[in-house]
Amino acid sequence: MTTPVRTQRADATRNRELLLAAAEQEFAEKGLEASVADIARRAGVAKGTIFRHFATKEDLIAAIVGGHFANLTAVARELLEADEPGAALLELLTVTADNLQQKDLTFLQSVTAQDSQVIALRDELYEAISALVERARTAGAVRPDLTGTDVFVLMCTPVHAVGFLSDPAPDVWRRYLALIFDGFRPEGATPLPRPAPNWP
Amino acid sequence: MTTPVRTQRADATRNRELLLAAAEQEFAEKGLEASVADIARRAGVAKGTIFRHFATKEDLIAAIVGGHFANLTAVARELLEADEPGAALLELLTVTADNLQQKDLTFLQSVTAQDSQVIALRDELYEAISALVERARTAGAVRPDLTGTDVFVLMCTPVHAVGFLSDPAPDVWRRYLALIFDGFRPEGATPLPRPAPNWP
Amino acid sequence: MTTPVRTQRADATRNRELLLAAAEQEFAEKGLEASVADIARRAGVAKGTIFRHFATKEDLIAAIVGGHFANLTAVARELLEADEPGAALLELLTVTADNLQQKDLTFLQSVTAQDSQVIALRDELYEAISALVERARTAGAVRPDLTGTDVFVLMCTPVHAVGFLSDPAPDVWRRYLALIFDGFRPEGATPLPRPAPNWP
Amino acid sequence: MTTPVRTQRADATRNRELLLAAAEQEFAEKGLEASVADIARRAGVAKGTIFRHFATKEDLIAAIVGGHFANLTAVARELLEADEPGAALLELLTVTADNLQQKDLTFLQSVTAQDSQVIALRDELYEAISALVERARTAGAVRPDLTGTDVFVLMCTPVHAVGFLSDPAPDVWRRYLALIFDGFRPEGATPLPRPAPNWP
DNA sequence: AATGAATGAGGATTCATTCAT
DNA sequence: AATGAATGAATCCTCATTCAT
């Protein structure tokens, strides 16, 4: 019998989802300059509605970025249970690249660099990745000097590399992921010239 | 009697250089949103003057991007004469990263993707890199399946990776360049899941 | 069975009072730009509720302004019974200024200039003041050429004058009320250059 | 032969004047909410032009307010040379009221309360008024306890009083100026209940 | 060639008001 | 009756670009 209350919220929640989806599309197509008006139009709501859900364009972006971090964290945590630590790590990178390939919103992070919510979510992802890396290291699947930070900062690389091509096949990133992952392996590893940076 | 003409040209050339330098600084500091007005101010010229030299903000960006491609091409060509092909390739990547570390203007490329001038210069760089890679490949310094395109698209990676850190030491990129270059080596190379993409 | 109805009415009345009080506070703090949303928030009701009680922001303002006129009218009428007509008039001005000092909402009148309800209440106040002035005039406590209109329009002056100071002591208005009231006195009165305006 | 340079400036200066005039009209008619767009339209220039001359709506307002202070200061200083100190003070109040009657922009001061430029100009006016008051006091034309601050804060009173009337004759303010000035006179002065406030 | 004033489209955000629940 | 979500007009301001001098 609480339905009436929920019903209203259902509408709002739906709009929120519509807005987030529309915003992701617009940002993916037009970059940071995607206008709030266009996002609203694509979501099929009035310009004002967007500000009821996200007080600021920045807040909207934070919601998007945070959401993506959270999704990835969930994946990473699940993979902590996987049998083969090396394969698990590779799988995380594969999922990440796959997501990115379909909609690269990495550039949104520049806007949310100071947002504490986003930072918290990003740190959670970092923790999960670190655990995954440690397992792989212990199992001898990756070189002993590889850290979670290393993997975190190189995670988007395969897709970004593909971005320099004009009309790339949809999964060339797999080539670059493999290439980079080969650099993670113990075989043929040369000593690294600098220590791994600390996590922010 | 030609002196005055020459003087004017010298002035104009000088202004052009001032503008390019100022623009690079502004773009590096503020990203694509750096305003023409700010660039003019930093260059110490009037806003109108900028449009005499570059009909469009895009043209200005194209000049910057093209310039950087040309610089790198020169370096690459010089390195074709080097003794050790593998070291030469690594050196090119080192120089590239070093430049980028000081002023990353990669994001400007998104604007000039269609500019034929820029494309031509970019292609020249590609050719030089390809030659460098072929030499290294022949010398057995890099894996046999590595192509010029591969190197081209991965070239900015070490610096971009560092971009995910908040307060990175100024040369952490060396760590990531080494890591990625380890992936280029023949030792421990696994078969790549996709063929190298054709050059655009 | 009438209880529920009464309860509802009591609730509604209470909400109305809450809203008026909250609105006064907001307007006093933020001026005309105080938003309906802020008023609702301060009153602890939903934005929609405000429009059930007052169809329009203007109506809300009219209710406030009218209320203040009514309050003052009550005071003025009571003072008509006072012993000393001059002191009674001064007392009215004192009460007025004291109210204003705590919460000056005079500026709201600009919005309600056409509202017939407010006009009616304002006219009642005018009548009461006129009577007070006439008594004082008859008693020789104020100059013979002073009218109710004169007093009405000068009534807010002491507080408004203080408004030009940055950090006034809370009762400096008493100085200015005294100064102005000295101008009302018969002693030292010079002939006034224009006749008193008619009441609107 | 410096004409070319000046010519350009002449245009700009003209626009500046047009804008200030248009802004005063708009503000006088619509209050603080007068929109920048409307001001531009009335001035016959594009919306952007207004921001070249006044970086901010606030800056525009500051220019208006400051200008009015400066004008009045000039008048006040001239009156310091007048023969009859009492008449000189009355004349200043007359000029002030006359200006205000035609275009009351007092309410703009609330916006510029923090603007140091405006504060400086306001303080100059205060000094000039104070000197005028002191002369009048010395000459016995006004009561001994009257200060410059008193006059400053009461200066707009006559016109503001008239503002409570719906359709006032254009110079009723003269009546109220006379009434208030009678309160300034030594004759019939009663002791004031509070000391004069210090100048901010 | 250079200047800097003018243009006007476009952007983020606010807010009174309406309306479905 | 109350809620709070949605609306969309209106606002201030920015900026690439044009143009008179």
Side-chain angles (χ1 to χ4, degrees):
Chain A
M1 287 308 134
T2 48
T3 326
V5 174
R6 268 184 202 153
T7 309
Q8 187 128 50
R9 255 189 208 153
D11 259 35
T13 305
R14 196 180 130 64
N15 270 347
R16 203 189 130 95
E17 297 312 321
L18 281 174
L19 278 168
L20 281 171
E24 290 196 359
Q25 284 297 340
E26 287 288 322
F27 282 129
E29 286 174 18
K30 306 184 188 164
L32 254 183
E33 292 84 23
S35 84
V36 173
D38 285 349
I39 293 170
R41 193 170 312 128
R42 187 188 281 243
V45 305
K47 223 185 327 181
T49 302
I50 215 166
F51 290 100
R52 150 164 289 276
H53 289 274
F54 308 98
T56 284
K57 192 183 182 183
E58 258 191 60
D59 285 359
L60 168 58
I61 292 175
I64 294 175
V65 174
H68 283 269
F69 278 139
N71 287 345
L72 266 191
T73 303
V75 173
R77 284 181 181 156
E78 217 166 310
L79 286 167
L80 277 170
E81 318 287 332
D83 284 341
E84 296 188 44
L89 182 58
L90 182 54
E91 173 65 9
L92 177 68
L93 297 181
T94 303
V95 170
T96 302
D98 199 27
N99 290 349
L100 242 47
Q101 162 64 25
Q102 288 169 45
K103 228 178 322 175
D104 180 8
L105 299 171
T106 323
F107 59 87
L108 292 180
Q109 289 184 41
S110 64
V111 175
T112 61
Q114 314 299 335
D115 186 298
S116 61
Q117 279 259 18
V118 171
I119 291 178
L121 289 164
R122 189 199 56 178
D123 286 354
E124 281 186 49
L125 174 55
Y126 165 75
E127 296 296 345
I129 291 177
S130 286
L132 225 38
V133 171
E134 178 155 20
R135 271 187 83 219
R137 215 190 303 122
T138 307
V142 300
R143 51 200 291 174
D145 51 1
L146 189 76
T147 72
T149 303
D150 294 334
V151 172
F152 187 98
V153 302
L154 286 169
M155 210 167 29
C156 304
T157 296
V159 172
H160 286 172
V162 172
F164 288 100
L165 301 169
S166 5
D167 192 22
D171 55 358
V172 204
W173 57 264
R174 291 184 189 273
R175 177 180 180 88
Y176 296 113
L177 174 49
L179 205 44
I180 284 163
F181 204 85
D182 274 358
F184 290 174
R185 297 185 200 278
E187 300 83 20
T190 64
L192 296 173
R194 289 287 177 285
N198 294 322
W199 183 248
Chain B
M1 284 303 134
T2 50
T3 325
V5 175
R6 266 181 201 158
T7 307
Q8 281 176 355
R9 267 189 196 151
D11 263 29
T13 307
R14 196 179 133 62
N15 268 351
R16 206 187 127 93
E17 296 312 319
L18 279 175
L19 278 168
L20 283 171
E24 290 196 0
Q25 285 295 340
E26 287 288 321
F27 282 128
E29 288 174 16
K30 307 184 187 162
L32 253 183
E33 293 84 23
S35 80
V36 173
D38 284 350
I39 293 170
R41 193 171 311 126
R42 188 188 280 243
V45 306
K47 216 183 341 177
T49 303
I50 220 167
F51 288 98
R52 169 165 303 278
H53 289 276
F54 308 97
T56 285
K57 193 183 183 184
E58 261 192 54
D59 286 359
L60 168 58
I61 292 175
I64 294 175
V65 174
H68 282 269
F69 279 138
N71 286 346
L72 264 191
T73 305
V75 173
R77 284 181 181 155
E78 216 167 310
L79 286 167
L80 276 170
E81 318 288 333
D83 284 342
E84 296 188 44
L89 182 57
L90 182 54
E91 174 64 10
L92 177 68
L93 297 181
T94 303
V95 170
T96 301
D98 200 28
N99 289 348
L100 242 48
Q101 163 65 25
Q102 288 169 45
K103 224 179 328 173
D104 181 8
L105 299 171
T106 323
F107 60 87
L108 293 179
Q109 289 184 41
S110 63
V111 176
T112 61
Q114 315 299 335
D115 185 296
S116 61
Q117 279 260 15
V118 171
I119 291 178
L121 289 163
R122 190 198 55 178
D123 286 352
E124 282 186 50
L125 174 56
Y126 165 74
E127 297 295 348
I129 291 176
S130 286
L132 223 39
V133 171
E134 178 155 20
R135 273 186 81 220
R137 214 190 302 121
T138 309
V142 299
R143 52 201 290 174
D145 52 2
L146 189 76
T147 72
T149 303
D150 294 335
V151 173
F152 187 98
V153 302
L154 286 169
M155 209 166 29
C156 304
T157 297
V159 171
H160 287 172
V162 171
F164 288 98
L165 301 169
S166 8
D167 192 23
D171 55 358
V172 204
W173 57 264
R174 291 184 189 274
R175 177 180 180 88
Y176 295 112
L177 174 50
L179 205 44
I180 285 164
F181 204 85
D182 274 359
F184 290 174
R185 296 186 201 278
E187 299 83 21
T190 65
L192 295 174
R194 289 289 178 287
N198 295 323
W199 184 246
Chain C
M1 284 304 134
T2 49
T3 327
V5 174
R6 266 184 201 155
T7 307
Q8 281 176 0
R9 266 192 199 151
D11 264 28
T13 306
R14 196 179 132 63
N15 267 352
R16 207 188 126 94
E17 296 312 318
L18 278 175
L19 279 168
L20 283 171
E24 290 197 0
Q25 284 295 342
E26 286 289 321
F27 282 128
E29 286 174 17
K30 307 184 187 162
L32 254 182
E33 293 83 22
S35 81
V36 174
D38 284 351
I39 293 170
R41 193 171 311 127
R42 188 188 281 242
V45 306
K47 217 185 337 180
T49 303
I50 219 167
F51 287 98
R52 170 166 302 278
H53 290 276
F54 308 96
T56 284
K57 193 184 184 183
E58 260 191 57
D59 286 358
L60 168 58
I61 293 175
I64 295 175
V65 174
H68 282 269
F69 279 139
N71 287 346
L72 264 191
T73 304
V75 173
R77 284 181 181 156
E78 216 168 310
L79 286 167
L80 275 171
E81 318 288 333
D83 284 340
E84 297 188 43
L89 182 58
L90 183 53
E91 174 64 9
L92 177 68
L93 297 181
T94 303
V95 170
T96 302
D98 199 28
N99 289 350
L100 242 48
Q101 162 65 25
Q102 287 170 46
K103 226 181 324 176
D104 180 9
L105 300 171
T106 322
F107 60 87
L108 292 180
Q109 289 184 41
S110 64
V111 176
T112 60
Q114 315 299 335
D115 186 296
S116 61
Q117 279 260 17
V118 171
I119 290 178
L121 290 163
R122 189 199 56 178
D123 285 354
E124 282 186 50
L125 173 56
Y126 164 73
E127 297 296 346
I129 291 177
S130 285
L132 223 39
V133 171
E134 179 157 19
R135 273 187 82 220
R137 214 190 303 120
T138 308
V142 299
R143 50 200 293 174
D145 51 1
L146 189 76
T147 73
T149 303
D150 294 335
V151 172
F152 187 97
V153 300
L154 285 169
M155 210 165 30
C156 304
T157 296
V159 172
H160 286 174
V162 171
F164 288 99
L165 300 169
S166 7
D167 192 23
D171 56 357
V172 204
W173 57 265
R174 292 185 188 273
R175 176 181 180 88
Y176 296 114
L177 175 50
L179 204 45
I180 284 163
F181 203 83
D182 274 357
F184 289 175
R185 296 185 200 279
E187 299 85 20
T190 64
L192 296 174
R194 289 288 178 287
N198 295 321
W199 184 247
Chain D
M1 288 309 132
T2 48
T3 326
V5 175
R6 266 181 202 158
T7 309
Q8 188 127 48
R9 255 185 207 156
D11 259 35
T13 306
R14 197 179 129 65
N15 269 347
R16 204 190 129 95
E17 297 311 321
L18 281 173
L19 278 168
L20 282 171
E24 291 197 357
Q25 284 295 341
E26 287 286 322
F27 282 129
E29 288 174 16
K30 307 185 187 162
L32 254 182
E33 292 85 23
S35 84
V36 173
D38 284 350
I39 293 171
R41 193 171 311 127
R42 186 189 281 244
V45 305
K47 221 182 333 178
T49 302
I50 215 167
F51 290 101
R52 150 164 290 277
H53 290 274
F54 308 97
T56 284
K57 192 184 183 182
E58 259 192 59
D59 285 358
L60 169 58
I61 293 175
I64 294 175
V65 174
H68 283 268
F69 279 139
N71 286 346
L72 265 191
T73 304
V75 173
R77 284 182 181 156
E78 217 168 309
L79 285 168
L80 277 170
E81 318 287 334
D83 284 340
E84 297 187 44
L89 182 58
L90 183 54
E91 174 64 9
L92 177 68
L93 297 181
T94 303
V95 170
T96 302
D98 199 28
N99 289 349
L100 241 48
Q101 163 63 24
Q102 289 169 45
K103 228 178 323 174
D104 180 9
L105 299 170
T106 323
F107 60 88
L108 293 180
Q109 288 183 42
S110 63
V111 175
T112 61
Q114 316 298 337
D115 186 298
S116 61
Q117 279 259 16
V118 171
I119 290 178
L121 289 164
R122 191 199 55 177
D123 286 353
E124 282 186 49
L125 174 56
Y126 165 74
E127 297 295 346
I129 291 177
S130 286
L132 225 38
V133 170
E134 178 155 19
R135 273 186 83 219
R137 217 191 300 121
T138 309
V142 299
R143 52 200 289 174
D145 52 0
L146 189 76
T147 72
T149 302
D150 293 335
V151 172
F152 187 98
V153 301
L154 287 168
M155 209 165 31
C156 305
T157 297
V159 171
H160 286 172
V162 172
F164 288 100
L165 300 169
S166 8
D167 192 24
D171 56 358
V172 205
W173 57 264
R174 291 185 189 273
R175 176 180 180 86
Y176 296 114
L177 174 49
L179 205 45
I180 285 163
F181 203 83
D182 274 359
F184 290 174
R185 295 186 201 278
E187 300 85 20
T190 63
L192 295 173
R194 289 288 177 288
N198 294 322
W199 183 248

